[in-house]
Amino acid sequence: MKEEIPVLKGKTKKELEEICVSLGLEKYRAAQIYTGIYKSRYTTIDQFTTLSKEVREKLKQHTLYPEIEIGRDLVSKEDGTRKFTFYVGENKEIEAVWIPSGDGGRKTICISSQIGCTLNCKFCATGLLEYKGNLHTWQILDQVLQVERLVGDHATNIVFMGMGEPMHNYFSVMKAAHILRDQDAFGLGALRITISTAGVTTGINRFIENKEPFNFAISLNHPNPNARSSVMDVNDKHPLDKLIDTAKRFTKELDRAITFEYVMIPDVNMGRDNAERLAKIARSVNKCKINVIPLNTDFTGWRRPTDEEVKDFVMHLKAKTTAPILNRRSPGRDINGACGMLALKGIRSETTK
């Protein structure tokens, strides 16, 4: 059986050492390759000028240095958010979003972990897509490399909240997160990287057992165990009571707060009763914060809440819990780049490509 040609991107320093040794190169070359990929952000092997021409030729002959292909590049006229569509194979598209803060201090890239999604959250457009596979670690990291190159700036924060369920691609996601954190690579702090899940408890437990250092978010979206499945089908396999027990374990064993993401949908998960249920969950978990997000999609027939409805819901929530509550803005709505909108074509804005 023919041995697969190794891809240099997405590899740890140790894996690069193994590749170097297999090619008859000195092991220390791995560190030069590693920093060249992730810190210097070289786009071709010829740019690795710390390596001799002979070493570069050997790498070109025996390894691969691919990149995902940019397709659409949409820019929001409202807030400067940019949504990028990348091709990762025939009829396989993913999206990543560049989200600058209003003051220019925080620059976030929202990246994808799967092609399509294994789940079907009713408010999320990605759930309507056919699942076409997990992304490799190099494809996850290349979203960051490509977006930063295209916008001409570096991110301060990375969130795994794009297409796909990160816990269903756990090992590639966590490997990418550790490379993003490494000071010899991207150099982001662990708390500037957020891993998200729709509530896959097996993945959360693995995260806890491995004592991962990254921020963690759970997309909750309904506080009623009997009604959550109507919004998120993940609840059928990972019921809410089990999810909350796992969140309690997270805060107790890792001694860190967890974030609950809550998409507000009028007549579905809002109102005083649901605010009180959500507050009760927050009190039971103890160390948590709640990000409330107005619904951005309308393909289900559900509507976005009014500002008054949001204000009323948050008021009832604050009356029952001391957990920090953030009303998250929805950047990039005009290009279909906001929460739940990835996979929708941003036809209302101009392409910058």
Side-chain angles (χ1 to χ4, degrees):
M1 184 176 177
K2 189 176 180 180
E3 189 176 353
E4 188 175 348
I5 300 174
V7 175
L8 295 179
K9 283 183 183 176
K11 295 293 191 293
T12 63
K13 200 177 297 182
K14 183 178 179 181
E15 288 171 328
L16 289 173
E17 287 178 354
E18 292 170 356
I19 291 172
C20 286
V21 170
S22 73
L23 296 178
L25 302 175
E26 301 93 335
K27 188 181 285 189
Y28 74 84
R29 296 292 185 190
Q32 296 173 313
I33 296 169
Y34 188 79
T35 55
I37 296 170
Y38 305 122
K39 185 165 271 189
S40 300
R41 318 290 173 91
Y42 294 144
T43 57
T44 68
I45 288 177
D46 285 326
Q47 291 177 314
F48 288 74
T49 53
T50 53
L51 305 174
S52 69
K53 185 176 180 180
E54 290 75 20
V55 170
R56 280 179 272 154
E57 286 302 316
K58 183 168 281 193
L59 289 176
K60 285 195 283 186
Q61 290 173 19
H62 299 286
T63 68
L64 297 175
Y65 199 64
E67 63 180 22
I68 56 179
E69 181 186 352
I70 179 66
R72 291 177 296 276
D73 176 354
L74 302 171
V75 59
S76 169
K77 295 178 180 179
E78 297 176 353
D79 51 41
T81 297
R82 287 172 71 174
K83 182 172 81 162
F84 301 93
T85 302
F86 294 104
Y87 303 117
V88 293
E90 188 175 355
N91 297 319
K92 293 180 177 179
E93 295 183 2
I94 60 170
E95 292 185 336
V97 185
W98 169 263
I99 310 168
S101 65
D103 61 6
R106 187 182 178 98
K107 304 160 191 173
T108 302
I109 303 178
C110 175
I111 57 177
S112 296
S113 57
Q114 294 182 312
I115 307 159
C117 191
T118 44
L119 301 176
N120 181 21
C121 300
K122 296 295 191 296
F123 58 85
C124 182
T126 305
L128 301 175
L129 296 178
E130 177 187 355
Y131 168 68
K132 295 185 178 181
N134 285 332
L135 292 176
H136 299 295
T137 300
W138 79 264
Q139 293 169 322
I140 295 172
L141 292 173
D142 210 37
Q143 293 172 69
V144 179
L145 292 171
Q146 294 276 8
V147 169
E148 290 189 338
R149 180 175 62 82
L150 289 162
V151 302
D153 203 350
H154 285 183
T156 61
N157 297 76
I158 303 293
V159 295
F160 286 79
M161 295 181 181
M163 292 178 168
E165 167 51 58
M167 294 298 98
H168 284 168
N169 190 14
Y170 184 89
F171 295 105
S172 292
V173 163
M174 298 313 302
K175 184 178 174 183
H178 279 282
I179 293 173
L180 287 166
R181 176 199 184 198
D182 191 346
Q183 292 304 306
D184 290 332
F186 290 84
L188 291 169
L191 297 182
R192 291 187 175 273
I193 300 165
T194 301
I195 316 292
S196 178
T197 180
V200 179
T201 54
T202 49
I204 304 171
N205 282 318
R206 183 180 286 125
F207 188 99
I208 297 167
E209 287 154 12
N210 292 341
K211 293 182 169 50
E212 299 291 359
F214 311 106
N215 280 336
F216 200 82
I218 294 174
S219 190
L220 193 65
N221 303 322
H222 211 300
N224 188 328
N226 299 318
R228 188 168 183 256
S229 291
S230 67
V231 179
M232 308 180 74
D233 64 351
V234 67
N235 195 68
D236 296 336
K237 189 172 182 180
H238 303 277
L240 183 61
D241 55 352
K242 184 178 179 182
L243 176 60
I244 300 308
D245 285 343
T246 307
K248 291 176 185 176
R249 181 190 176 201
F250 180 102
T251 59
K252 182 179 179 182
E253 294 190 23
L254 298 185
D255 193 28
R256 297 207 310 272
I258 201 165
T259 299
F260 289 122
E261 305 279 354
Y262 198 88
V263 175
M264 296 176 290
I265 311 168
D267 305 317
V268 175
N269 65 358
M270 296 182 72
R272 182 172 298 186
D273 288 349
N274 285 321
E276 290 180 356
R277 283 178 180 270
L278 179 56
K280 185 177 180 180
I281 288 172
R283 292 195 303 271
S284 72
V285 172
N286 191 23
K287 293 182 179 180
C288 72
K289 67 178 181 178
I290 303 170
N291 285 347
V292 293
I293 310 157
L295 177 70
N296 291 309
T297 55
D298 58 11
F299 53 79
T300 58
W302 293 336
R303 66 174 176 85
R304 184 178 175 87
T306 64
D307 290 345
E308 190 60 36
E309 287 171 323
V310 170
K311 183 179 178 182
D312 188 66
F313 181 75
V314 171
M315 180 185 69
H316 288 307
L317 196 54
K318 286 183 174 179
K320 297 292 183 179
T321 179
T322 58
I325 300 165
L326 174 65
N327 183 358
R328 239 175 64 185
R329 63 194 182 97
S330 295
R333 284 190 73 215
D334 60 322
I335 54 169
N336 293 322
C339 176
M341 302 182 83
L342 298 194
L344 296 175
K345 307 303 180 190
I347 58 174
R348 288 176 289 170
S349 288
E350 298 173 355
T351 175
T352 61
K353 185 172 180 281

